Amino acid sequence: MAKKQFKTESKKLLDMMVNSIYTHKEIFLRELISNASDAIDKLYFRSLTDDSVGMKHGDFLIRLSVDKDARTLTISDNGIGMTKDELENNLGTIAHSGSLDFKSAEENQNDKINIIGQFGVGFYSAFMVADNIKVESRAFGSDEAYLWESSGADGYTVKPCEKETAGTTITLHIKDDTEEEKYAEFLETYRLRELVHKYSDYIRYPIKMLVSTRKKKEGTEDEYEDVFEDETLNSMTPIWKRPQSKVKDEEYTEYYKTKFNDYDAPLKVIRQSTEGTATYTALLFIPSHAPYDYYSRDYEKGLQLYSSSVMIMEKCKDLLPDHFSFVKGLVDSADLSLNISREMLQHDRQLKIIAKALEKKIASELSKMLKNERENYEKFFKEFGAQLKWGIYSSFGVNREELQDLLLFHTSAEGEFASLREYVDRAREGQDKIYYAVGETAEKIAMLPQVEAVLSKGYEVLYLTQDIDEFCVQILQNYDNKAFVNVCTDNLDLGDEKEKAELKEANDKSEELFKFMKESLGDKVAKVRYTNTLKNHAVCLSSEGAVSVGMEQILNKMPGTEGQNIKAETVLEINMEHPIKDKLLYLFGNDKEKLADYTKILYAQARLINGLNLDNPAEISDLVCNLMV
Ligand code: ADP
């Protein structure tokens, strides 16, 4: 019999499948099982209105069977089946499947992996693991059955065959093993069981397979025999489809642990079912600790995507905004087509609506958690808070409304953390600023002279200890009409008019002194001046301009900034109430050399107070020793 040719497009795709180097060859089973399930759906729906079908829901099943000697894997269903024409049309041309926009596939055809990864390629994916495929099918209501057979891109044949009942049986002749690929794994019970678990667990019809177990022979003491028994490989009801009230917390926890490979229970389980503009069920988890690669480039965000209980994507990135990339879980929506490609998904309206709704839900759950489960929230925030702050920074504040009330910062007030709302609610009468300071730890920041000064006036100070913190508040600029100010760099305006005038006068008077001191420090500082905000300390460092001393440190640590040497405009501030002031003035008139040394020491002290290293510790140590002897 002459072979019929596949339609051109199909031929190209087939060719790709046959020679596939795609690493997820295993998905072929998912594809064939979901086709079988669809075919059963069709007959089942028909049975609801057509008595001649004579079958109940419980009569339908999908069966896998293996013949290791013949190297065949068979997938059969008792669904609607296909007529001769349907066999030709459905399996002879890919365009007919309607779910594959082949144009875009052609554009990418050099990139085989990409295409196969992008499309649920349906029936054709079986050619990744099989070198010959037989499809025996009998359409419901017909008394004829046909066998469609193909060994790949060179064409297919269709001829009559015998088949007792309606449905389809697909027999794959599994390819020979090669050095790189062990196709024989698809003939192993454990592997098939595993694949059904992974991809098709929740198919609503039983997927059965005869499985052999060694059992004691009846009536004997120690004789064993292989007994074949039917095993149902899938659990059939997804946990997220069961009524919420019927699922115990432990069940969610167990599900999370096994599906998302975490040894700890999640901090929060979020379940959402909606109908309306988008119909979907979501089961989301907030992990209790960040995965080891979370803050690295290797981490991939995403939710599993199911279409009517069949998994269509392991990690759908588009369902989660970056700032909630820590969320794990899945979305099941009947509105999405099973074979939708990733590219198409990006433009899918439905998916966008779902993503927006999920984002809102996650934000509101976090906000509830902050309100009602403070301890848990702080635990969460220690793990993932930086990501929320990053979300504000990287979006240039676009996400601020959603995220700003979820932020926590270390604080001088009671408790480890404060939210911005808490800060503002307990701000002093007439306080129009949110004070913050930057440093390595809350303890170190609390000791900064400028911080002490602000605290002594009764204000709360936020302690920014994470690298991202200062960038985040700089983007926010203000919260509830109160501007963020860095107590070490910004003009705090704490003193009254008289004090301000005194400070200006003193600074003007000492202009020459400061010029000399600045010169003796070279380009280490941009300026030297008096301050009246320090309580006890003689000196401190502050800065002018957009880059603070803390940011200078972080920016220069970041990859890609080597050699750029980003510099803060550092200012060495001298406490004008401190006796050191008179000493400096005296030296300026009498001993410039000593003044230069003193200046170096003062600068070193200021660095140490700010938690910074010295670049010339030996020199400073010698200078101090000289003073001592
Ligand atoms: P898709 O499932 O995306 O439509 P496939 O290439 O997997 O694409 O299948 C093409 C068509 O072949 C299906 O739409 C369906 O009509 C038919 N088909 C495939 N498998 C079966 C089956 N087991 N029983 C009945 N029809 C089937």
Side-chain angles (χ1 to χ4, degrees):
M1 187 167 40
K3 272 197 181 140
K4 297 198 183 181
Q5 293 303 306
F6 287 102
K7 295 260 167 72
T8 349
E9 302 90 339
S10 314
K11 210 171 152 167
K12 280 184 199 149
L13 188 64
L14 265 169
D15 211 36
M16 279 173 3
M17 290 298 167
V18 174
N19 302 306
S20 165
I21 46 166
Y22 184 53
T23 46
H24 293 81
K25 294 190 163 73
E26 61 188 37
I27 56 120
F28 81 94
L29 190 64
R30 172 194 82 182
E31 297 294 321
L32 296 185
I33 288 177
S34 62
N35 278 350
S37 166
D38 288 349
I40 294 177
D41 269 345
K42 284 180 196 154
L43 190 55
Y44 171 64
F45 287 131
R46 184 135 168 200
S47 74
L48 299 176
T49 53
D50 182 348
D51 286 342
S52 76
V53 176
M55 288 170 85
K56 301 185 301 295
H57 196 278
D59 297 331
F60 293 102
L61 80 147
I62 297 164
R63 180 173 289 286
L64 306 186
S65 49
V66 163
D67 182 335
K68 278 194 184 174
D69 297 332
R71 253 188 117 77
T72 56
L73 166 64
T74 304
I75 298 109
S76 62
D77 65 71
N78 52 359
I80 193 97
M82 284 177 273
T83 62
K84 182 172 186 247
D85 279 355
E86 281 167 342
L87 274 171
E88 293 217 18
N89 288 333
N90 292 343
L91 308 183
T93 163
I94 212 151
H96 192 82
S97 83
S99 31
L100 193 103
D101 179 352
F102 202 74
K103 260 205 188 123
S104 40
E106 248 181 345
E107 281 158 20
N108 280 322
Q109 64 163 309
N110 292 334
D111 193 350
K112 291 178 187 171
I113 299 188
N114 209 2
I115 296 176
I116 300 168
Q118 268 170 20
F119 296 96
V121 280
F123 173 77
Y124 289 78
S125 60
F127 281 105
M128 292 195 291
V129 301
D131 50 21
N132 175 276
I133 301 178
K134 292 190 177 78
V135 182
E136 293 158 271
S137 198
R138 176 166 161 180
F140 172 76
S142 162
D143 46 14
E144 294 169 350
Y146 288 89
L147 166 67
W148 179 100
E149 182 172 3
S150 169
S151 298
D154 57 339
Y156 61 90
T157 58
V158 181
K159 59 184 180 199
C161 70
E162 291 297 316
K163 194 171 183 313
E164 290 290 305
T165 51
T168 302
T169 298
I170 299 179
T171 305
L172 310 181
H173 184 266
I174 300 295
K175 288 182 184 177
D176 286 336
D177 289 359
T178 63
E179 281 287 308
E180 303 84 43
E181 292 283 351
K182 302 284 170 256
Y183 294 101
E185 63 175 302
F186 299 120
L187 298 166
E188 297 293 340
T189 304
Y190 80 90
R191 185 71 174 120
L192 296 169
R193 190 188 278 131
E194 193 178 276
L195 290 178
V196 170
H197 267 292
K198 184 164 172 192
Y199 295 112
S200 316
D201 193 41
Y202 308 122
I203 292 284
R204 291 172 306 266
Y205 307 100
I207 302 167
K208 295 196 176 183
M209 184 160 68
L210 273 181
V211 173
S212 76
T213 34
R214 256 190 123 54
K215 283 198 173 159
K216 216 178 249 170
K217 234 180 183 171
E218 237 176 90
T220 67
E221 272 300 303
D222 50 6
E223 276 182 58
Y224 286 84
E225 61 181 350
D226 286 336
V227 181
F228 283 87
E229 278 170 358
D230 248 345
E231 179 179 320
T232 301
L233 306 180
N234 55 330
S235 72
M236 291 192 278
T237 325
I239 192 167
W240 62 92
K241 284 276 167 82
R242 287 159 55 195
Q244 205 162 346
S245 58
K246 292 269 164 62
V247 187
K248 294 196 214 81
D249 288 351
E250 302 90 82
E251 287 182 84
Y252 283 129
T253 301
E254 270 322 300
Y255 178 82
Y256 167 77
K257 283 186 181 170
T258 45
K259 290 282 169 181
F260 298 97
N261 298 323
D262 196 347
Y263 44 88
D264 281 330
L267 215 47
K268 183 119 219 120
V269 180
I270 304 171
R271 226 185 105 150
Q272 188 185 33
S273 289
T274 60
E275 277 172 32
T277 38
T279 304
Y280 68 87
T281 301
L283 178 58
L284 309 178
F285 302 94
I286 297 178
S288 56
H289 59 90
Y292 71 96
D293 62 349
Y294 185 63
Y295 290 103
S296 83
R297 271 165 217 246
D298 297 337
Y299 182 80
E300 280 181 57
K301 64 166 183 173
L303 299 177
Q304 293 180 344
L305 187 58
Y306 285 79
S307 157
S308 305
S309 312
V310 181
M311 198 212 277
I312 55 175
M313 205 180 279
E314 179 89 40
K315 260 194 184 152
C316 182
K317 287 203 296 248
D318 303 323
L319 283 170
L320 285 178
D322 281 341
H323 50 268
F324 293 149
S325 61
F326 48 81
V327 175
K328 303 264 178 214
L330 59 95
V331 172
D332 189 349
S333 170
D335 298 348
L336 297 165
S337 131
L338 182 61
N339 278 356
I340 195 161
S341 77
R342 274 191 205 144
E343 251 162 35
M344 281 151 69
L345 268 177
Q346 273 176 6
H347 305 292
D348 192 272
R349 225 186 105 246
Q350 212 57 29
L351 198 77
K352 287 212 170 96
I353 295 173
I354 297 176
K356 244 324 16 80
L358 289 179
E359 181 176 348
K360 252 174 110 178
K361 176 73 178 169
I362 297 167
S364 89
E365 287 290 325
L366 286 175
S367 152
K368 259 198 265 169
M369 196 169 155
L370 170 61
K371 218 158 126 206
N372 307 326
E373 303 167 60
R374 180 65 176 222
E375 209 176 302
N376 262 352
Y377 190 82
E378 291 193 4
K379 209 170 151 198
F380 154 77
F381 202 82
K382 282 180 189 165
E383 295 293 323
F384 301 110
Q387 192 64 18
L388 303 185
K389 291 169 179 169
W390 174 254
I392 288 181
Y393 175 68
S394 62
S395 70
F396 301 105
V398 172
N399 298 320
R400 66 179 298 157
E401 288 307 321
E402 179 170 293
L403 298 178
Q404 61 186 1
D405 283 314
L406 297 175
L407 303 183
L408 295 179
F409 296 95
H410 287 288
T411 173
S412 63
E414 232 171 89
E416 195 175 355
F417 292 105
S419 70
L420 296 176
R421 170 72 16 228
E422 287 161 350
Y423 184 103
V424 164
D425 283 351
R426 60 190 177 219
R428 289 183 53 184
E429 180 97 354
Q431 179 182 343
D432 60 352
K433 296 190 174 68
I434 298 174
Y435 297 106
Y436 72 86
V438 185
E440 235 172 277
T441 63
E443 292 72 28
K444 281 190 184 171
I445 299 175
M447 288 185 316
L448 289 174
Q450 295 101 324
V451 172
E452 281 184 353
V454 177
L455 292 179
S456 74
K457 295 215 155 53
Y459 295 109
E460 176 176 355
V461 178
L462 297 179
Y463 296 158
L464 274 44
T465 56
Q466 286 188 308
D467 283 2
I468 186 70
D469 280 349
E470 197 175 8
F471 296 89
C472 174
V473 299
Q474 290 218 346
I475 289 284
L476 285 176
Q477 288 184 21
N478 52 60
Y479 175 84
D480 203 9
N481 295 323
K482 299 195 193 319
F484 284 96
V485 292
N486 184 334
V487 302
C488 296
T489 58
D490 294 308
N491 181 8
L492 299 189
D493 232 357
L494 285 176
D496 59 24
E497 288 307 315
K498 191 167 149 266
E499 284 170 346
K500 270 190 240 171
E502 278 171 12
L503 177 64
K504 185 169 179 330
E505 197 191 327
N507 268 320
D508 288 348
K509 262 200 198 151
S510 300
E511 214 182 312
E512 289 302 313
L513 163 71
F514 293 149
K515 213 169 133 207
F516 177 85
M517 289 176 76
K518 190 224 145 349
E519 270 159 23
S520 58
L521 288 172
D523 60 1
K524 289 195 174 101
V525 298
K527 223 185 235 178
V528 181
R529 69 174 171 223
Y530 287 131
T531 173
N532 58 4
T533 59
L534 296 181
K535 255 178 75 197
N536 305 316
H537 297 274
V539 280
C540 72
L541 280 188
S542 82
S543 64
E544 287 187 338
V547 182
S548 71
V549 178
M551 287 169 94
E552 173 190 299
Q553 297 281 311
I554 295 162
L555 287 170
N556 286 321
K557 264 196 316 207
M558 292 209 301
T561 57
E562 296 87 354
Q564 289 187 22
N565 201 11
I566 297 154
K567 276 197 100 55
E569 297 214 1
T570 311
V571 180
L572 177 62
E573 291 192 321
I574 316 278
N575 185 351
M576 67 180 265
E577 257 100 64
H578 197 280
I580 192 74
K581 178 186 168 198
D582 297 332
K583 183 79 182 190
L584 293 174
L585 283 168
Y586 169 79
L587 290 176
F588 186 59
N590 301 290
D591 189 348
K592 290 249 170 51
E593 208 177 314
K594 206 166 201 174
L595 176 59
D597 287 348
Y598 271 44
T599 306
K600 281 181 194 158
I601 295 171
L602 286 173
Y603 172 71
Q605 286 176 341
R607 282 190 70 88
L608 289 174
I609 291 173
N610 262 50
L612 302 171
N613 290 331
L614 304 181
D615 20 78
N616 52 348
E619 184 191 356
I620 297 301
S621 163
D622 288 347
L623 286 173
V624 174
C625 257
N626 288 345
L627 289 179
M628 294 164 88
V629 292

